[in-house]
Amino acid sequence: MDDAMEDEPESQTIAEEGPIAGVFNPPSVNNERVLSGESYTHLSAVPAALIADMSTECVLGVDEAGRGPVLGPMVYGLFYLPLPLHHSLLAETHHFDDSKVLTPAVRSDLMSTLCSPTTDLHAHCGWATRTMSARDITAAQLRANGAYNLNAQAMDATIDLIQRVLDQGVNVREVYIDTIGPPATYQKKLERVFPSLQVTVAKKADSLYPCVSAASVCAKVTRDAALEVLYSTYARPEDQGVIAWGSGYPSDARCTTWLKGNMHPLFGWGNECRFSWGTAKELLESKGAPCRMDWPKPDEETDNMKLTGFLMEAEEEKEDEMATWFGRRVAAEVF
């Protein structure tokens, strides 16, 4: 369904997209929720520098990680800080960039610095993530009363994150977002929702605006850590800290090999898999998955019957039962 995604890494870098052992585990990863297949939002506390002066104008960036994989959650990241520090703190001091350009170790170090109370990033910057589980993405796309497609889910996640930060009292003035689909259309939708904000939606925004780069790092590190938690239920001693399914992208040979070798004959896979993706559906069909269900067509008469119809029917049955118990009146000719 959404198998081919525009942000999927190029083939020459796909081998580096898998999580590695020993990376920083951010507070945005809730092990219990990740394993249960639950979607959830994490918000950092408002930075101390902003609490001291809530009138400070801020810039905010939003980006995602894991839009295309068949395995693991899609994570939306948000990052904000005072406007005067936008380039000096993020680009010049800490060298934030598109998360796909940075190595896993560099991303991990940046996230660790952000979460350390004694650092300048922690003092001036706030962040948030929305972890959208593979289970919930699949359920939304396959629901019977109309598919809730991935673009709509992404839009709602973006709006929800921005609104939560505004509700914290942060004085956001400028917003930069990496686009999904045509930038102009996406931007108009957000401007209608947030008319007081200066919204800019652009392709490759994670390479153009430092706050979006920082948001992409928050999203990517959170997704990588969530993948590690999900894989813990499958880990074997010989894996030695390496996640055998790699990046989780369909074009990653490690991912497809793992899917083929770990498919349950009855249930397929667990909460880590997006069953609505073509890769998963094709494997299930080719293996002859035994759990195909053909739902019966609803009975129109029963469906259209009012509640009073069931009550009246029950009363009639009650009267017949009483008549049988006490007997029926008969004519004199019987005697």
Side-chain angles (χ1 to χ4, degrees):
M1 184 175 294
D2 287 279
D3 213 349
M5 296 295 170
E6 61 183 17
D7 72 337
E8 185 162 343
E10 297 176 2
S11 57
Q12 61 265 32
T13 61
I14 195 78
E16 301 177 0
E17 280 298 309
I20 61 173
V23 298
F24 177 69
N25 190 23
S28 50
V29 177
N30 184 308
N31 290 15
E32 183 178 348
R33 287 181 162 186
V34 169
L35 288 172
S36 69
E38 181 183 351
S39 298
Y40 64 94
T41 299
H42 171 83
L43 285 167
S44 75
V46 177
L50 291 182
I51 292 177
D53 183 6
M54 293 300 285
S55 66
T56 303
E57 293 188 345
C58 293
V59 59
L60 180 152
V62 179
D63 196 16
E64 53 77 26
R67 180 176 171 82
V70 66
L71 294 175
M74 178 167 75
V75 180
Y76 259 79
L78 176 150
F79 195 97
Y80 63 91
L81 76 164
L83 264 168
L85 299 177
H86 186 195
H87 289 274
S88 61
L89 182 61
L90 298 185
E92 297 171 13
T93 303
H94 291 281
H95 309 292
F96 276 93
D97 202 342
D98 174 9
S99 64
K100 293 187 286 294
V101 175
L102 304 174
T103 66
V106 170
R107 293 193 299 255
S108 177
D109 288 343
L110 287 171
M111 195 69 186
S112 176
T113 302
L114 175 63
C115 296
S116 300
T118 58
T119 65
D120 51 358
L121 282 178
H122 187 276
H124 296 283
C125 306
W127 60 284
T129 58
R130 174 66 181 169
T131 300
M132 303 160 66
S133 71
R135 185 196 68 180
D136 288 349
I137 289 172
T138 295
Q141 290 180 318
L142 298 181
R143 64 188 185 185
N145 59 341
Y148 181 24
N149 67 47
L150 200 63
N151 282 353
Q153 295 181 54
M155 170 67 80
D156 290 345
T158 300
I159 292 171
D160 179 66
L161 282 176
I162 295 173
Q163 187 59 57
R164 284 174 182 256
V165 170
L166 295 175
D167 291 343
Q168 286 183 306
V170 179
N171 183 23
V172 178
R173 305 311 306 160
E174 298 179 13
V175 175
Y176 297 93
I177 300 175
D178 198 24
T179 190
I180 47 172
T185 303
Y186 191 18
Q187 183 168 318
K188 286 180 180 178
K189 289 181 179 179
L190 290 170
E191 286 173 339
R192 286 197 295 268
V193 178
F194 302 109
S196 63
L197 304 182
Q198 181 183 322
V199 179
T200 300
V201 178
K203 292 183 178 180
K204 304 298 182 183
D206 46 6
S207 299
L208 300 173
Y209 308 105
C211 60
V212 183
S213 301
S216 74
V217 169
C218 293
K220 180 62 175 171
V221 174
T222 297
R223 171 175 155 79
D224 283 355
L227 276 177
E228 191 170 346
V229 172
L230 288 167
Y231 188 73
S232 65
T233 60
Y234 297 97
R236 301 163 298 179
E238 58 266 30
D239 291 335
Q240 297 182 346
V242 177
I243 296 181
W245 65 42
S247 64
Y249 281 88
S251 58
D252 187 343
R254 295 169 297 176
C255 173
T256 52
T257 300
W258 185 90
L259 286 169
K260 292 174 183 176
N262 291 271
M263 188 178 78
H264 190 281
L266 187 62
F267 301 109
W269 304 275
N271 288 326
E272 73 282 347
C273 184
R274 305 180 193 180
F275 286 80
S276 52
W277 258 233
T279 306
K281 291 192 291 186
E282 288 168 10
L283 280 174
L284 288 170
E285 290 171 1
S286 65
K287 294 284 187 179
C291 283
R292 182 179 181 85
M293 177 66 73
D294 293 322
W295 296 100
K297 293 183 179 179
D299 184 352
E300 292 185 3
E301 292 184 4
T302 304
D303 281 357
N304 294 329
M305 184 179 286
K306 296 180 179 179
L307 181 60
T308 51
F310 289 99
L311 296 175
M312 290 174 64
E313 196 172 320
E315 287 296 325
E316 291 175 1
E317 290 178 1
K318 183 177 180 181
E319 290 176 5
D320 290 340
E321 182 182 351
M322 295 297 289
T324 303
W325 177 262
F326 290 106
R328 295 180 182 274
R329 183 176 296 178
V330 297
E333 287 81 2
V334 175
F335 301 100

